[in-house]
Amino acid sequence: MDIGVLTVALGGEPVDEALGYLSGIGVDAVEFGCGGFVGEDHLPREEFLDDEEAQADLLDLVDEHDLRISALSTHNNPLHPDEERAERAATEIREAIRLADQLGVDNVNTFSGLPAGSPAGEVPNWITAPWPPEHAEALEYQWEEVAIPRWRELADHAAEHDVNICLEMHPNMLVYEPTGLVRLREATNERIGANFDPSHLYWQGIDVTEAIRFLGDHDAIHHFHAKDTGLYEHNARVKGYLDTNPYTDEPNRSWLFRSIGYGHDEAHWKEVVSTLRMVGYEGALSIEHEDSLTSGREGLEKAVDILQRAVFETQPGDAYWA
């Protein structure tokens, strides 16, 4: 497995400087944002799309720093009830897929998106319970009338370009846990899989290694985000984990995104890496820094330090003892 970084945390730095820094701290792969919520500081999608010279320059720069590109990211909502916003997001995904194909990159990371609860709705509606009955009806509408038709088209586009669509399972999106991801994959094609980000699963009470095994059984892990979450029981005991406090109101939140090792210890991350290997994943562990208690560079360096001790550098030999 490679240690990677989503470069958004270094978005204020020129791409050459960011890549030089990452290579210098032991990073092997980079993930570039190219639209949506993650922005496009290091890879303006429209500037690079269909421009062979610009693409060649970028690939030369990445190679010069002994790096590879693990994924392109454009996180947005292609299921938004505002048709203009939904189509803009879908266009960003289609163009990111085309750009990934042109750059020789296997993966495009994004969200499933979230529709309204009915054709008349104007605001995305995250359904978390089947009762009262109109909520179950809304969920069925979201899946059958909005999500599956849209994602069939996008998955077919990805298949045409031999690129994976990697969905980050994220609350406030239709696909926020592993069984939902498998449902969408089975309704579309095998190009739909996970950008497995454990940070959103921890606070939902999902066992991360069991989720890896479950998705591994479906060959559905295309990419991995190395990102931790701290759980703060003194707040959760009062209000639970559905927390609407701002991310920067750290003392009063039930959970926070944390740098690797600050939510779960090194032993846990070694078990995560081991389980990924068991299910056949050998791609990047792409660090996404969103820890509000430290700077981007410090968070990245601490994460790299732990992951360097967790990843295996060799392939297993014959089990001579078996």
Side-chain angles (χ1 to χ4, degrees), residues 21 50 55:
Y21 163 71
D50 299 322
Q55 293 170 16

Side-chain angles (χ1 to χ4, degrees), residues 27-180:
V27 170
D28 308 300
V30 288
E31 173 188 350
F32 288 127
C34 66
F37 296 123
V38 296
E40 53 180 21
D41 288 326
H42 293 147
L43 188 63
R45 186 186 66 261
E46 293 179 347
E47 292 180 20
F48 280 82
L49 191 62
D50 299 322
D51 188 331
E52 293 182 4
E53 183 177 353
Q55 293 170 16
D57 289 344
L58 177 66
L59 292 173
D60 286 345
L61 183 62
V62 171
D63 187 61
E64 178 185 324
H65 291 291
D66 296 319
L67 298 166
R68 70 176 185 91
I69 304 174
S70 68
L72 307 185
S73 288
T74 173
H75 292 63
N76 213 321
N77 186 357
L79 309 181
H80 200 285
D82 182 320
E83 291 185 8
E84 183 177 341
R85 291 180 63 176
E87 186 52 39
R88 184 167 64 249
T91 296
E92 289 177 346
I93 294 170
R94 293 188 202 101
E95 291 181 349
I97 289 167
R98 285 181 52 218
L99 181 55
D101 185 10
Q102 292 170 8
L103 289 169
V105 175
D106 293 333
N107 303 308
V108 167
N109 296 334
T110 189
F111 291 138
S112 67
L114 183 67
S118 74
E122 297 182 354
V123 178
N125 191 340
W126 187 36
I127 307 297
T128 59
W131 187 91
E134 58 263 38
H135 291 272
E137 294 167 5
L139 187 62
E140 187 71 7
Y141 160 78
Q142 290 179 324
W143 275 97
E144 297 300 329
E145 298 188 39
V146 184
I148 290 175
R150 167 71 86 181
W151 279 107
R152 278 181 176 157
E153 179 263 317
L154 291 171
D156 288 345
H157 180 70
E160 290 171 6
H161 289 273
D162 200 23
V163 170
N164 297 320
I165 295 175
C166 315
L167 299 181
E168 188 171 332
M169 296 171 285
H170 195 296
N172 286 314
M173 296 292 162
L174 188 63
V175 172
Y176 59 92
E177 47 77 32
T179 66

Side-chain angles (χ1 to χ4, degrees), residues 274-285:
S274 298
T275 308
L276 286 169
R277 173 163 277 197
M278 287 180 192
V279 302
Y281 180 81
E282 289 292 345
L285 307 175

Side-chain angles (χ1 to χ4, degrees), residues 238-250:
V238 175
K239 63 178 181 177
Y241 286 107
L242 292 174
D243 196 333
T244 57
N245 279 48
Y247 288 128
T248 51
D249 185 17
E250 294 93 350

Side-chain angles (χ1 to χ4, degrees), residues 3-30:
I3 297 174
V5 165
L6 173 60
T7 68
V8 172
L10 306 173
E13 303 179 20
V15 63
D16 186 26
E17 291 182 14
L19 297 184
Y21 163 71
L22 293 173
S23 179
I25 64 171
V27 170
D28 308 300
V30 288

Side-chain angles (χ1 to χ4, degrees), residues 76 89 145 190 206 304:
N76 213 321
E145 298 188 39
E190 64 184 11
I206 295 170
V304 169

